[in-house]
Amino acid sequence: MGSRTYSTAAARYCEIDYDKVFSPCKTALGSASEAIQKLTANIDAARAKRSPDRPTLQEVRGYYEELYGVSSRADKQEILQRAWRRMEPVEIKYFIRIMSQGSLRIGFETRSVIDAVAEAWDATRSRCATPT
């Protein structure tokens, strides 16, 4: 999924203008996921939509599978917004970073994070790194 899809979804979710608010925020912070975290944390319209209940890893995986299974931007944005309603802003940020398969930007290599998750879930590294 492209950055434009989740960025415009975030602008709609926050009820802000993409060009006048989201884009400058993204530029100032250097990252769409950082901008989304800050905006969803600080804009009343976005805060009012959230009812965070800490989705399980299996539920998060389900969101990724749903996203993989649709092709239209509108369908993807609907799934994103449904997922975000259940997440805290920092969870939204990492949901996006994992989804876009970019750097998590947390000071660890992705491989180290996968190893830690594998150890925590008593699973093999290959099982945590690839969908089954």
Side-chain angles (χ1 to χ4, degrees), residues 17-79:
D17 183 273
Y18 177 85
D19 293 318
K20 293 179 182 175
V21 180
F22 185 87
S23 190
C25 184
K26 175 183 157 188
T27 300
L29 293 169
S31 156
S33 60
E34 284 289 332
I36 292 168
Q37 177 190 7
K38 301 292 185 199
L39 293 167
T40 57
N42 293 297
I43 293 182
D44 290 337
R47 282 199 309 260
K49 292 176 184 172
R50 284 197 329 270
S51 296
D53 66 351
R54 307 288 172 149
T56 66
L57 290 176
Q58 290 81 11
E59 291 169 324
V60 171
R61 179 181 176 167
Y63 289 128
Y64 289 135
E65 288 172 349
E66 279 187 76
L67 288 164
Y68 182 76
V70 297
S71 57
S72 80
R73 178 178 279 182
D75 289 341
K76 289 177 183 184
Q77 290 178 333
E78 187 278 322
I79 294 165

Side-chain angles (χ1 to χ4, degrees), residues 3-4 10-13 19 23 34 37 39 48 56 62 69 75 79 86 88-89 95 97 100-101 114 121 124 126:
S3 171
R4 182 72 176 201
R12 262 203 324 275
Y13 184 80
D19 293 318
S23 190
E34 284 289 332
Q37 177 190 7
L39 293 167
T56 66
D75 289 341
I79 294 165
R86 297 189 57 204
E88 294 288 350
F95 179 82
R97 287 185 180 176
S100 61
Q101 299 180 358
I114 292 170
W121 288 88
T124 64
S126 63

Side-chain angles (χ1 to χ4, degrees), residues 80-98:
L80 289 173
Q81 291 186 21
R82 186 167 27 92
W84 294 346
R85 285 192 286 272
R86 297 189 57 204
M87 298 176 184
E88 294 288 350
V90 70
E91 293 169 321
I92 294 169
K93 174 174 73 173
Y94 287 108
F95 179 82
I96 292 166
R97 287 185 180 176
I98 290 167

